[in-house]
Amino acid sequence: GAISFTRSVKTELVAGYDLYISVSDGRNVVAARSLSVRITGINFPPHFQVPAQTLTVLENINSGSSIFQPTITDEDLSDVHTFSVVYSPPDGAVYFGVDKSTGLITSLVDIDYETIPFKSFLLVITGSDSLLEDTTNITLNIQNVNEAPVFTKKFYSITTSENSGGTMIQNPYYQYTDVDGDTLKFSLDCGADTGRLDIDSSTGLLSFSTDYDLDIVGTASKIDCKVSITDDEYTDMAYVNITILDDNDNSPVFIYSEYTFYIPVTSSVGSFVGQVQAIDKDIGNYGNVFYHIALEDFNYGLFDVVQNGSIFVSESLNRYTEGSTLNLTIYGVDTGGRDGLTIVYVVFPTTYVAPITPGDGIEYLTFFRYSPNMAWFVPLMFILFATFCVAVHTLYKSNCSCLKKKERSMRKKKRKRPMKSFQRY
């Protein structure tokens, strides 16, 4: 009649049992007697308040950040609980940890949506009081967060030359990141010079919006701009310094396409012939003009031209005669190699000397015998004669008009006189 346990009572939750015991000899049964068994020190199991739940974990949380604290309850207030976890997929152990004594879920690394291969993890957490245990299923879903684009290099410096509108400027080769891979837009702010430049909103490449000419007074040779990138939510900024170089975009142009200078054929070496001038619209070094006579010019060695365009005789002219004309091709060249040319005619005028008559010595020309004087005297006399005729005609017409007026006046007076009466005798 010995009574014994059929199982361990360590995890028994029932406080007691009533046993009804009877005895028999095979033919007779003695009425049952009761035996009450009371169990003391029962250990109640722990319970998680929520058996399963799903949590959202935003990316960019730092390593060691708290994510979630599961809540476990136990009627045995003095029990100490320990926690363990199983990850699915197993890679969850790389990114998340569960504290053995508290069950607190924390991040083990910086959470980056773009680099984590799995976006959802199941954590099966077990809480135990060393005798009994309970589990909860916690699903962690990694949620992508829009991250700001960032210029990894903030300052840029580029150099270009002045050019026409629409011309692309040197590529700044921006250095920036956007881990989300969003489509970014570029914008430009150059202060007062913003209207001079354009920026491609998708590539950030800069170009001249209008013709950029440093030869126009007031045009800046340096522009400081702010370049922004945005994903429509976040914006970052970089700074671009643009140096614009003067381009040799103008050629020297002579004031006259042809020059004519008169010098005596007897002019000595070093005599001044005349001066030519070319103008270059470029400002700065490219606007400086240097002159030279064409090397292939037949008369190259006879004359020399200096920096200010003055022409001088460099060789004797005694082999030429009066009345002849020499022509020179003179180039004006700027420091950039652009040039312009003009033609210079050098005329040796004729001087008239009267023939020498025997015994009289030199005969000087009178006014009317010198043909150049007659060239202007005859036209002048004609003009004076025509002027005289016009004046006489005008006076004549004026006098005739006055006489006619007087005659009409006299006729009117005669008509107004009264008729005299005659007496008959």
Side-chain angles (χ1 to χ4, degrees):
I3 299 172
S4 62
F5 288 112
T6 58
R7 65 175 184 270
S8 173
V9 296
K10 289 184 178 180
T11 60
E12 188 61 45
L13 300 179
V14 179
Y17 294 88
D18 290 328
L19 307 179
Y20 296 94
I21 304 171
S22 62
V23 62
S24 173
D25 60 1
R27 290 181 291 180
N28 300 301
V29 177
V30 177
R33 298 290 186 269
S34 65
L35 174 65
S36 295
V37 180
R38 300 287 179 261
I39 301 174
T40 60
I42 293 176
N43 178 42
F44 293 97
H47 291 283
F48 285 102
Q49 287 186 344
V50 180
Q53 56 188 316
T54 300
L55 303 175
T56 297
V57 179
L58 300 179
E59 70 166 325
N60 297 329
I61 64 172
N62 298 324
S63 174
S65 298
S66 297
I67 295 175
F68 181 68
Q69 174 66 69
T71 302
I72 193 168
T73 59
D74 196 330
E75 293 183 26
D76 301 314
L77 300 179
S78 61
D79 283 353
V80 176
H81 304 103
T82 58
F83 298 86
S84 61
V85 60
V86 176
Y87 299 93
S88 178
D91 287 6
V94 177
Y95 304 102
F96 304 101
V98 175
D99 190 276
K100 292 182 178 180
S101 60
T102 65
L104 176 66
I105 304 173
T106 59
S107 61
L108 300 180
V109 296
D110 295 343
I111 303 301
D112 187 354
Y113 182 88
E114 284 73 29
T115 59
I116 292 181
F118 301 98
K119 311 307 178 185
S120 182
F121 298 90
L122 173 62
L123 279 65
V124 180
I125 299 177
T126 300
S128 172
D129 61 1
S130 73
L131 295 176
L132 299 174
E133 63 184 24
D134 193 18
T135 60
T136 182
N137 296 330
I138 298 178
T139 302
L140 301 179
N141 293 327
I142 311 301
Q143 181 173 320
N144 189 23
V145 175
N146 183 32
E147 298 173 88
V150 177
F151 277 107
T152 56
K153 180 181 177 182
K154 291 287 187 179
F155 298 92
Y156 300 85
S157 180
I158 58 178
T159 301
T160 187
S161 297
E162 59 178 346
N163 218 317
S164 57
T167 302
M168 196 69 66
I169 300 175
Q170 175 189 342
N171 191 343
Y173 295 105
Y174 303 109
Q175 298 178 27
Y176 61 91
T177 60
D178 185 80
V179 295
D180 300 316
D182 294 333
T183 299
L184 302 179
K185 295 179 182 179
F186 290 81
S187 59
L188 184 69
D189 180 9
C190 301
D193 295 311
T194 299
R196 296 179 179 270
L197 302 177
D198 288 329
I199 187 169
D200 189 295
S201 61
S202 59
T203 64
L205 293 179
L206 303 173
S207 61
F208 292 115
S209 58
T210 59
D211 293 347
Y212 205 97
D213 191 355
L214 290 176
D215 302 320
I216 299 176
V217 177
T219 304
S221 60
K222 288 188 177 181
I223 301 178
D224 294 322
C225 298
K226 299 175 184 177
V227 174
S228 300
I229 52 174
T230 180
D231 59 4
D232 292 331
E233 182 178 358
Y234 297 105
T235 299
D236 197 22
M237 185 179 299
Y239 303 89
V240 180
N241 175 266
I242 305 171
T243 300
I244 302 172
L245 303 177
D246 184 25
D247 189 21
N248 187 25
D249 53 351
N250 294 289
S251 299
V253 177
F254 282 91
I255 296 177
Y256 302 106
S257 60
E258 294 182 354
Y259 291 81
T260 301
F261 301 123
Y262 297 86
I263 62 170
V265 74
T266 57
S267 298
S268 60
V269 174
S271 297
F272 176 75
V273 177
Q275 185 178 18
V276 297
Q277 184 181 6
I279 298 176
D280 195 316
K281 293 182 179 180
D282 288 309
I283 296 177
N285 290 333
Y286 289 133
N288 298 326
V289 180
F290 301 90
Y291 302 91
H292 70 86
I293 300 173
L295 296 176
E296 68 276 9
D297 201 309
F298 179 76
N299 303 308
Y300 168 73
L302 295 176
F303 303 94
D304 188 23
V305 59
V306 297
Q307 186 172 349
N308 66 353
S310 296
I311 303 170
F312 296 92
V313 177
S314 60
E315 289 186 7
S316 174
L317 305 174
N318 56 14
R319 65 178 180 271
Y320 296 97
T321 60
E322 294 182 348
S324 58
T325 299
L326 303 179
N327 62 289
L328 304 172
T329 301
I330 296 183
Y331 286 92
V333 184
D334 61 23
T335 54
R338 286 180 173 265
D339 59 29
L341 63 85
T342 186
I343 305 299
V344 175
Y345 295 98
V346 180
V347 179
F348 303 129
T350 302
T351 57
Y352 181 82
V353 179
I356 301 175
T357 56
D360 292 337
I362 298 175
E363 181 181 353
Y364 295 96
L365 296 176
T366 64
F367 180 84
F368 292 103
R369 291 182 61 191
Y370 186 53
S371 57
N373 288 343
M374 299 307 294
W376 60 266
F377 180 76
V378 173
L380 176 62
M381 290 299 101
F382 177 78
I383 293 171
L384 291 176
F385 177 74
T387 304
F388 175 77
C389 292
V390 171
V392 171
H393 178 73
T394 303
L395 291 174
Y396 172 77
K397 295 290 288 184
S398 177
N399 289 336
C400 289
S401 176
C402 290
L403 290 174
K404 289 180 179 180
K405 286 181 179 180
K406 286 181 180 181
E407 288 178 0
R408 285 195 294 269
S409 178
M410 292 295 291
R411 290 173 184 170
K412 289 180 180 180
K413 288 180 180 180
K414 286 180 181 181
R415 293 194 201 101
K416 291 181 180 180
R417 287 178 184 175
M419 297 292 293
K420 293 183 179 181
S421 58
F422 298 93
Q423 292 182 348
R424 188 177 293 178
Y425 297 93

